Amino acid sequence: MSAKLIKGTEIREEILEEIMAEVAEIKDKHGVVPGLVTILVGENPASISYVTLKIKTAHRLGFTEVQDTQPVDISEEDLLALIDKYNNDESINGILVQLPLPKHVDEKKVLNAIDPDKDVDGFHPVNVGRLMIGGDEVKFPPCTPAGIQEMIIRAGVETKGAEVVVVGRSNIVGKPIANMMLQKGVGANSTVTVVHTGTQDLAAHCKRADILIVAAGVPDLVKPEWIKPGACVIDVGVNRVGEKVSEKTGKTIAILKGDVDFDAAKEIAGSITPVPGGVGPMTITMLMKNTLKSLKFKLGIA
Ligand code: NAD
């Protein structure tokens, strides 16, 4: 294997340690800790496991964490009232509504009701606008793109003047990471191309990339011959391609694959993220970082 592995599991631990140290310092100086509320509607098993992981991480970091579970038939009006309650709760710095919401609730309306200054997911239109403007305007970069940028920085990959090609144009990954990489500043200042289902020659664009960020949701979409030798490859894709029995727990678990043919790509790339254990662990980590940031903004120390 020639490529350096960029391990999200290791970078996550580094960042969580940094957050823990900052939380302790703020608690000491200001007598407060970050507060995060997770609002879960209904009993979707996947949502429960995501929320549980977020709560566990928040707890480990010494945050105040509030788990607010609501019945699946909660009315839109009551859910909006709940958001309003947390918008006005001084002890809460981050509000997270676990998606998907039941069909009778307008998801957009609910997410847009969150105070943009507590929108630690970074999906509120105000925060999307702030991200587009860049620089000091940015408050909460969305968590997966923020994790990607952090991995690139911590792997020591040069971004200034680099050709960055992003595969995918979703609102949660492709568009925001493309926007972040073209801004002036650390871990950015790149020349960015976004390719998608309307692109004519995907391979030709990917071959130019010094940094190739792939978020398409198509297993093995990126072939090894599309990778420029020495490039940094960030594989965001998480695709379930089967099931297996875990050697550790004996339970049946999903077999996950990225959007890049990892085994072949690692022989050509300079650095590469694995799936699982690459970008995945970064998302919750950056959610915690955003929640800490929210408190720091409030205290005027960000
Ligand atoms: P999405 O379906 O919303 O968007 C996928 C994008 O890829 C679209 O813009 C589409 O145009 C493009 N695309 C799809 N097939 C293509 C093809 N054949 N050629 C060119 N472009 C193509 O998906 P998303 O929400 O952005 O997620 C993408 C992948 O990343 C998924 O596998 C998802 O599970 C994963 N993901 C992982 C994390 C994480 O690790 N924390 C977070 C978010 C998403």
Side-chain angles (χ1 to χ4, degrees), residues 88-269:
N88 291 300
D89 184 335
E90 285 294 312
S91 69
I92 294 298
N93 306 105
I95 301 172
L96 193 128
V97 178
Q98 187 63 47
L99 301 179
L101 290 173
K103 286 203 171 61
H104 67 276
V105 176
D106 183 343
E107 217 164 79
K108 214 163 150 189
K109 207 167 164 186
V110 170
L111 294 181
N112 290 355
I114 297 173
D115 179 346
D117 290 343
K118 295 189 179 187
D119 166 45
V120 286
D121 255 340
F123 293 147
H124 192 287
V126 167
N127 284 317
V128 176
R130 287 169 171 165
L131 190 80
M132 182 69 133
I133 295 166
D136 292 346
E137 283 290 328
V138 183
K139 282 209 154 176
F140 307 118
C143 302
T144 302
I148 294 169
Q149 191 178 40
E150 197 69 42
M151 294 179 99
I152 294 172
I153 294 171
R154 291 185 190 233
V157 175
E158 178 62 85
T159 56
K160 185 175 175 223
E163 290 282 341
V164 171
V165 175
V166 178
V167 183
R169 57 178 159 186
S170 72
N171 287 330
I172 63 164
V173 190
K175 277 191 229 164
I177 189 62
N179 185 52
M180 288 161 77
M181 297 306 293
L182 63 79
Q183 304 287 350
K184 276 190 181 170
V186 178
N189 225 351
S190 310
T191 304
V192 181
T193 306
V194 183
V195 297
H196 43 74
T197 43
T199 300
Q200 288 196 359
D201 190 346
L202 211 58
H205 289 287
C206 291
K207 280 178 187 172
R208 282 190 293 104
D210 300 311
I211 301 172
L212 181 61
I213 301 169
V214 192
V218 181
D220 289 347
L221 172 69
V222 172
K223 312 292 174 241
E225 59 274 20
W226 297 9
I227 294 168
K228 183 174 171 181
C232 168
V233 178
I234 306 287
D235 189 353
V236 190
V238 181
N239 306 292
R240 286 165 189 262
V241 293
E243 286 183 340
K244 64 178 180 187
V245 176
S246 160
E247 282 176 18
K248 264 192 205 164
T249 62
K251 284 186 186 165
T252 303
I253 53 167
I255 300 173
L256 301 179
K257 220 173 188 318
D259 290 350
V260 177
D261 178 352
F262 178 82
D263 288 333
K266 72 183 187 326
E267 302 303 330
I268 302 162

Side-chain angles (χ1 to χ4, degrees), residues 10-87:
E10 282 178 11
I11 298 174
R12 169 185 60 193
E13 291 310 308
E14 273 174 40
I15 298 173
L16 292 182
E17 288 294 329
E18 291 164 12
I19 296 175
M20 257 187 279
E22 267 200 81
V23 169
E25 197 184 322
I26 291 173
K27 191 176 178 185
D28 210 35
K29 278 195 191 149
H30 302 273
V32 283
V33 296
L36 176 68
V37 59
T38 45
I39 299 172
L40 173 67
V41 178
E43 290 172 0
N44 176 332
S47 296
I48 292 174
S49 80
Y50 291 138
V51 164
T52 307
L53 200 56
K54 287 168 189 171
I55 290 167
K56 262 170 90 175
T57 311
H59 186 71
R60 178 180 161 196
L61 296 173
F63 289 13
T64 300
E65 34 87 12
V66 179
Q67 184 183 5
D68 194 327
T69 305
Q70 295 293 329
V72 73
D73 59 354
I74 186 175
S75 69
E76 188 179 284
E77 197 187 352
D78 286 350
L79 196 53
L80 291 171
L82 194 68
I83 304 267
D84 192 49
K85 181 184 104 173
Y86 289 118
N87 280 343

